Amino acid sequence: MANILWLSAITCNGNSHSFLNLPSLEEFLGRHNFLYHTILPSTFSLRDIFELKVYESIDILVLEGTLDSDLKKFDINFEDILVEYAKRAKYILTVGTCATFGGIFMQKHSNRYGFLYKNYTAHNRFLSFKEKSVSVSGCPILPEILAGVIDMLSSNLPLSLDEYNRPKSFYGWMVHNGCTRNEYFEYKIDNHNFGELEGCMFYEHGCQATYTRGSCNKILWNEVNSKTRVGEPCHGCTEPDFPKDNLWQTTKHMGIPAKLPLGVPKRAYLSLAGVAKAFKIERFYKNILEEGDS
Amino acid sequence: MSSNKEKRKLEIIKGSLKLFAQNGFYVTTIPIIAKDLGMSVGNMYNYFKSKEELAQEALRFISKYLAKDIRAVNESNLTTEEKIRKIVAEYFKVAQNDPQMIEFFLRVYLSNREVFKSGCEGMICVNEFVTEIMIFFEEGGSQGRSKKPRLL
């Protein structure tokens, strides 16, 4: 059993809520104990937490939300409290893109930041805690990833991390991996209308799945679906530069997407696109369900 | 394929290019090409199964040949303006030194599309060349130096 302390900085509580959708939440709560969580039953009140009345061992400190050095709760500086518990915690999890990279609540506020990063740049405020920190980015996080990481840490299982401390098991591959529209991507066919099952959204509709690390198309939301599967572009919410502008439109230069699939050189992409586009395959231009019975 | 056979194939492509460029696709027959190269017609078919296949290989050869020069320009540190001047200069150099390259493109590829319909779909046989041109435009576009032409 792990003792978990969940602290919220500047946040919409989206990750707290998302976590409630964990299909095995009941079993999870049977395995672990929340010293404090914004919504779930907890051992302590938020005031107890801020008055440093927690003497139990802290296995995992969860941080949600963007940081701001001036943030106060009960007239107590948030970062002072954060540092107190961070020192005592065995592991620190930054949950969501706000806590990890600054995210939505950092926009238009130059004095705000994530726990270890401000967008792509590492800062030194909490550098001494980096060794025991794990980043679980996303807006919001997939509950299965958070539960999986907590279970792995509390079982002392090794976690392989990427350059931003994200577990590679969940962030080592692109969101594109597992997308049901891959066939349309291969043949470079957008031809998509929002909500329809046909077409790839990379070419016109701003989909960022080919350069966004995450598991959204392998661990489905509510065990049902993903954005790209249902017909919405991936907004790249797990990446340091989230959110960007113009999320439903592909930025292009002279007809070529400005940002290409991760690691794919422009020359390789264009060569492949040239070959793929040479053949007009009728099936890909049809609306399968509205076509009628054959 | 052995390097000797590859070398001979290249000689046939270069030889046929001149004849295609001078006389057009239909007038230039396999016996004419074979005679010009000092080969037997039978031996020619050891290298290319048909005249169409030979023409398609010739097109690929030109595409790679032109792409090589443009790629060097693309990978240089020149400005967009300098690059476009250099690409145009390279084009005129080819037109002057190896006119058959350009003439084949205009007189055969663009005039006899039926020859390339099966085997050279879309831009497949000119892929290298088109890719380099696209990279040139894309890089100019991303720096705000190239613009999509406005329709009148």
Side-chain angles (χ1 to χ4, degrees):
Chain A
M1 179 187 274
N3 273 337
I4 306 166
L5 173 57
W6 186 299
L7 287 180
S8 298
I10 304 167
T11 176
C12 66
N13 290 318
N15 300 295
S16 302
H17 284 266
S18 178
F19 189 60
L20 298 183
N21 289 330
L22 179 69
S24 57
L25 184 65
E26 216 175 311
E27 290 86 345
F28 181 90
L29 294 177
R31 284 196 300 279
H32 304 293
N33 174 47
F34 274 104
L35 297 169
Y36 182 75
H37 181 278
T38 40
I39 302 160
L40 291 165
S42 309
T43 318
F44 294 93
S45 69
L46 188 60
R47 186 176 281 278
D48 291 336
I49 302 295
F50 272 73
E51 290 175 358
L52 298 173
K53 287 181 178 165
V54 179
Y55 298 105
E56 279 78 354
S57 66
I58 301 166
D59 298 299
I60 294 165
L61 171 65
V62 171
L63 172 66
E64 177 183 24
T66 308
L67 293 169
D68 182 326
S69 56
D70 294 331
L71 177 66
K72 286 181 179 177
K73 292 194 180 190
F74 307 109
D75 222 19
I76 300 165
N77 184 280
F78 183 88
E79 285 189 8
D80 292 345
I81 297 298
L82 174 67
V83 168
E84 282 306 314
Y85 289 117
K87 280 182 201 162
R88 286 170 51 189
K90 201 170 164 191
Y91 298 106
I92 301 159
L93 290 190
T94 61
V95 168
T97 299
C98 285
T100 306
F101 299 115
I104 295 262
F105 286 99
M106 190 176 73
Q107 304 307 302
K108 315 281 183 198
H109 292 275
S110 58
N111 58 332
R112 292 182 182 178
Y113 34 84
F115 186 61
L116 296 173
Y117 304 96
K118 183 172 177 150
N119 291 136
Y120 288 96
T121 314
H123 60 76
N124 295 330
R125 282 181 185 79
F126 308 102
L127 193 63
S128 57
F129 301 118
K130 192 178 178 187
E131 283 298 305
K132 58 178 178 181
S133 295
V134 177
S135 308
V136 184
S137 59
C139 189
I141 45 106
L142 272 163
E144 288 88 346
I145 296 184
L146 178 57
V149 171
I150 290 175
D151 279 338
M152 285 175 86
L153 290 176
S154 60
S155 311
N156 290 317
L157 290 171
L159 269 183
S160 175
L161 304 178
D162 73 4
E163 60 192 307
Y164 298 109
N165 278 23
R166 294 177 296 192
K168 285 185 188 170
S169 323
F170 300 109
Y171 299 91
W173 289 268
M174 302 300 122
V175 171
H176 181 61
N177 204 314
C179 179
T180 49
R181 296 166 188 272
N182 277 353
E183 207 175 32
Y184 295 92
F185 175 80
E186 286 162 18
Y187 290 94
K188 316 291 167 210
I189 296 156
D190 193 303
N191 199 37
H192 175 73
N193 288 311
F194 285 123
E196 286 184 1
L197 297 172
E198 294 84 6
C200 168
M201 294 167 283
F202 173 69
Y203 306 100
E204 302 291 340
H205 292 79
C207 186
Q208 300 180 34
T210 58
Y211 46 85
T212 297
R213 295 164 191 81
S215 297
C216 293
N217 273 310
K218 287 185 286 194
I219 302 169
L220 300 177
W221 287 93
N222 298 322
E223 299 183 295
V224 175
N225 225 329
S226 75
K227 284 178 78 183
T228 67
R229 287 184 180 203
V230 83
E232 267 281 299
C234 164
H235 291 336
C237 75
T238 56
E239 293 297 330
D241 55 359
F242 176 79
K244 303 181 195 99
D245 296 330
N246 206 15
L247 294 173
W248 281 270
Q249 205 168 32
T250 304
T251 305
K252 289 187 278 189
H253 301 303
M254 306 295 282
I256 299 161
K259 204 161 174 187
L260 296 178
L262 191 74
V264 175
K266 205 182 293 169
R267 193 163 275 110
Y269 173 83
L270 289 172
S271 302
L272 208 59
V275 175
K277 280 182 176 173
F279 302 92
K280 188 172 164 120
I281 296 157
E282 292 298 329
R283 178 165 66 88
F284 294 137
Y285 293 89
K286 287 179 179 169
N287 185 318
I288 307 292
L289 297 180
E290 284 178 14
E291 212 188 351
D293 298 336
S294 40
Chain B
M1 195 185 290
S2 73
S3 63
N4 269 347
K5 190 166 183 185
E6 199 58 41
K7 215 172 133 189
R8 189 68 178 137
K9 235 181 143 175
L10 198 62
E11 283 168 12
I12 298 170
I13 290 170
K14 285 180 180 172
S16 70
L17 248 176
K18 274 187 189 161
L19 296 170
F20 281 136
Q22 274 166 22
N23 308 316
F25 179 76
Y26 289 106
V27 176
T28 311
T29 60
I30 288 280
I32 291 174
I33 299 167
K35 195 181 165 196
D36 192 68
L37 288 160
M39 291 172 73
S40 72
V41 173
N43 194 17
M44 271 285 285
Y45 285 107
N46 285 328
Y47 294 92
F48 296 97
K49 284 189 212 125
S50 65
K51 198 168 76 167
E52 280 76 11
E53 189 185 304
L54 176 55
Q56 291 183 4
E57 281 297 323
L59 182 64
R60 285 196 185 95
F61 172 76
I62 296 171
S63 166
K64 279 182 195 160
Y65 181 90
L66 295 174
K68 210 175 112 218
D69 288 340
I70 305 173
R71 181 171 179 164
V73 176
N74 278 340
E75 289 176 342
S76 71
N77 291 325
L78 299 174
T79 64
T80 303
E81 285 80 357
E82 288 166 341
K83 278 181 182 174
I84 199 161
R85 284 179 188 282
K86 184 101 173 124
I87 289 171
V88 172
E90 291 290 344
Y91 178 85
F92 280 116
K93 209 168 90 186
V94 173
Q96 199 163 30
N97 299 340
D98 295 301
Q100 69 280 7
M101 300 274 192
I102 311 295
E103 278 168 26
F104 179 91
F105 199 83
L106 301 175
R107 287 193 66 179
V108 181
Y109 180 54
L110 295 184
S111 310
N112 304 115
R113 298 308 297 264
E114 67 283 0
V115 176
F116 302 93
K117 219 168 94 184
S118 176
C120 284
E121 287 89 346
M123 299 286 172
I124 289 181
C125 294
V126 289
N127 205 12
E128 279 97 340
F129 173 72
V130 172
T131 296
E132 293 307 327
I133 290 290
M134 285 173 83
I135 287 175
F136 165 72
F137 281 121
E138 193 274 340
E139 285 176 358
S142 65
Q143 292 160 18
R145 305 302 298 170
S146 313
K147 283 181 192 162
K148 261 191 170 178
R150 204 177 289 167
L151 294 175
L152 293 173

